[in-house]
Amino acid sequence: MKRLLALVAMLGLLAGMAQAQGKLEIFSWWAGDEAPALQALIDLYKQQHPSVDVVNATVTGGSGVNARAVLKTRMLGGDPPDSFQVHAGQELIGTWVAANRMEDLTSLFQQQGWMDVFPQNLVDLISTSNGIWSVPVNIHRANVMWYVPANLEKWGVTPPTTWEEFLVQCPTLQSKSVTPLVVGESWTQVHLWETIAIATLGAQGWNDLWSGKIQFTDPQAVKVWDTFGKVMACTNSDASGLSWQQATDRVVGGQAAYNVMGDWAAGYMTTTLKLEPGTGFGWEASPGTKGTFDMLADSFGLPMGAPDPQNTMDWLTLLGSKQGQDTFNPLKGSISPRLDSDLSLYNAYSKSAAQDWQNDTIVGSLAHGAVAKEAFSSQFPEVMAIYESSQSSEQAANAAQAIANQVGLYQ
Ligand code: GAL
């Protein structure tokens, strides 16, 4: 009997080993300075599955602007990676789920008990009535304003709580040869616009914009562009050449006072630049958005036709696990959406974000795929370009509405 059990155990082991072989190609935009958190997860996966050859396929470019284009070519060309990074929300649902290119992960969620540990509003973002389509690995906050406390003190200003207050500070900072607010390449400006829109419209108004209750041409929505224009006049002139990391560097280096960026900036400042939250850098909700948490989540799924589905399922199991999430997120600047996440592993910034996540009104990000389908969000930089060349709020608002109508934003 003992021998038989040993044989069964051995066969089980062999079967397990046979399962965990071959390749796992993970596709994302977490390259360079963004890589450490993903690398920690991959290291954990390799410990658990030493005989799997993990291919870490990255396409550089903040917020996935370049990666999404490469992914599209691969998916449409019948060459999907085993698993790819995609924002929870419309970026997933309005594209690859709508095109019936993803496998349903409902049974994985049930098997792992995830229906009880992930908040319902997040599960809703990655679901349709036909299934659950990805595994969220984090919660990032988009509406954060970053600064260096000692520098603000030196310049005699305090973090503005409204954009009006910021506009009052702007000439003071400029007179000291400091860039009041640093911005980078196009998507970072969409990100800034989004936070100004939330401040101007309020959380409810922002939601109404995406459900069609408010049109982009509504006077309140047009006003967003007026404020955006005034704020942009207080930014650096070399924005288009700057990555989000380089923009962050300007704040850290004392050339700029503020930057509005998602809290991957906290990950960069702590993990890469080794700064201490609170002293090395400070943070506040972006002006006018205190009490609102503009969220986004990175997630990974299993595309249909992925070459190594079993290895991908193991990868997704790790991503959603407590250990996986509490390994990844403290390095990334994000928090774990799991209700049982161990906050003692997180720094002071992340602890404060976790508290706000619990208490604030939650809204979804435009720049990072939560609220609008890609057909809309990928064209929004053109609206920004129209505003930049015309400096006309009405023209930008009309262009945004025209795209919304053309792509069927509200369906
Ligand atoms: C976001 C993504 C973050 C971070 C950031 C900068 O879209 O969700 O995880 O990578 O882009 O690239």
Side-chain angles (χ1 to χ4, degrees):
M1 185 66 184
K2 257 192 190 164
R3 264 205 196 150
L4 186 67
L5 282 180
L7 187 69
V8 169
M10 183 125 108
L11 284 176
L13 200 69
L14 285 176
M17 280 171 61
Q19 235 179 28
Q21 270 175 4
K23 239 182 56 186
L24 172 69
E25 189 193 10
I26 304 161
F27 182 92
S28 79
W29 60 86
W30 289 330
D33 293 324
E34 291 217 69
L38 174 64
Q39 192 54 51
L41 263 185
I42 291 178
D43 290 347
L44 210 54
Y45 181 88
K46 280 185 175 158
Q47 271 170 32
Q48 295 174 354
H49 308 284
S51 50
V52 175
D53 178 19
V54 179
V55 179
N56 184 7
T58 54
V59 177
T60 320
S63 93
V65 275
N66 305 325
R68 269 189 293 280
V70 175
L71 179 69
K72 197 170 181 179
T73 309
R74 288 191 57 174
M75 290 287 278
L76 299 181
D79 176 30
D82 289 310
S83 192
F84 61 83
Q85 177 185 4
V86 60
H87 288 123
Q90 281 304 310
E91 187 177 308
L92 166 76
I93 303 297
T95 46
W96 304 120
V97 175
N100 200 22
R101 301 276 179 153
M102 304 302 287
E103 298 284 357
D104 178 13
L105 301 172
T106 305
S107 55
L108 178 69
F109 273 68
Q110 283 163 348
Q111 194 191 79
Q112 298 295 321
W114 290 346
M115 304 307 278
D116 301 324
V117 292
F118 286 121
Q120 188 59 46
N121 56 358
L122 181 59
V123 176
D124 289 347
L125 261 190
I126 50 174
S127 303
T128 60
S129 54
N130 299 327
I132 306 180
W133 305 103
S134 69
V135 177
V137 67
N138 63 6
I139 296 292
H140 267 307
R141 185 178 193 175
N143 59 323
V144 192
M145 180 175 244
W146 308 97
Y147 55 89
V148 174
N151 287 346
L152 295 196
E153 207 179 308
K154 189 170 77 192
W155 300 323
V157 293
T158 51
T161 55
T162 61
W163 284 110
E164 289 69 31
E165 250 178 77
F166 168 78
L167 292 172
V168 172
Q169 287 184 18
C170 172
T172 313
L173 290 162
Q174 281 171 333
S175 72
K176 297 177 198 276
S177 301
V178 174
T179 304
L181 181 78
V182 58
V183 288
E185 57 184 315
S186 175
W187 73 265
T188 73
Q189 296 172 35
V190 177
H191 186 119
L192 173 67
W193 182 89
E194 155 174 343
T195 66
I196 294 175
I198 295 170
T200 311
L201 301 171
Q204 187 56 49
W206 175 251
N207 289 338
D208 290 347
L209 199 57
W210 305 110
S211 68
K213 273 197 203 147
I214 290 184
Q215 301 260 300
F216 287 89
T217 46
D218 182 284
Q220 266 305 97
V222 175
K223 241 196 213 167
V224 177
W225 292 100
D226 297 343
T227 307
F228 178 72
K230 290 180 196 154
V231 171
M232 282 300 285
C234 298
T235 61
N236 45 309
S237 53
D238 59 351
S240 63
L242 288 193
S243 68
W244 69 264
Q245 291 96 328
Q246 288 170 320
T248 306
D249 289 343
R250 295 250 174 117
V251 174
V252 170
Q255 294 102 311
Y258 306 109
N259 177 222
V260 170
M261 190 38 58
D263 50 15
W264 41 92
Y268 173 60
M269 288 187 280
T270 53
T271 305
T272 305
L273 303 183
K274 310 281 179 226
L275 297 175
E276 201 53 51
T279 47
F281 66 93
W283 64 91
E284 287 297 333
S286 60
T289 67
K290 200 173 168 58
T292 299
F293 190 114
D294 180 19
M295 69 77 66
L296 58 123
D298 295 296
S299 73
F300 285 79
L302 171 59
M304 276 182 185
D308 308 281
Q310 183 54 52
N311 292 344
T312 305
M313 287 304 269
D314 292 343
W315 164 248
L316 297 177
T317 304
L318 173 65
L319 284 191
S321 71
K322 184 170 150 113
Q323 187 191 16
Q325 302 231 329
D326 283 343
T327 299
F328 175 86
N329 286 298
L331 296 168
K332 186 68 173 63
S334 40
I335 51 172
S336 165
R338 283 188 64 118
L339 302 172
D340 59 354
S341 164
D342 180 359
L343 271 183
S344 71
L345 300 168
Y346 291 75
N347 65 33
Y349 167 72
S350 298
K351 284 194 176 110
S352 84
Q355 207 172 26
D356 293 345
W357 169 247
Q358 291 306 326
N359 301 328
D360 285 4
T361 304
I362 311 291
V363 297
S365 168
L366 161 68
H368 307 278
V371 286
K373 55 170 93 169
E374 213 183 325
F376 180 86
S377 53
S378 63
Q379 292 191 66
F380 202 77
E382 283 162 35
V383 179
M384 310 291 300
I386 289 172
Y387 180 77
E388 202 185 331
S389 59
S390 68
Q391 294 294 306
S392 157
S393 300
E394 283 75 20
Q395 277 192 35
N398 289 341
Q401 193 56 50
I403 296 171
N405 297 341
Q406 180 213 327
V407 304
L409 180 64
Y410 314 118
Q411 283 153 22

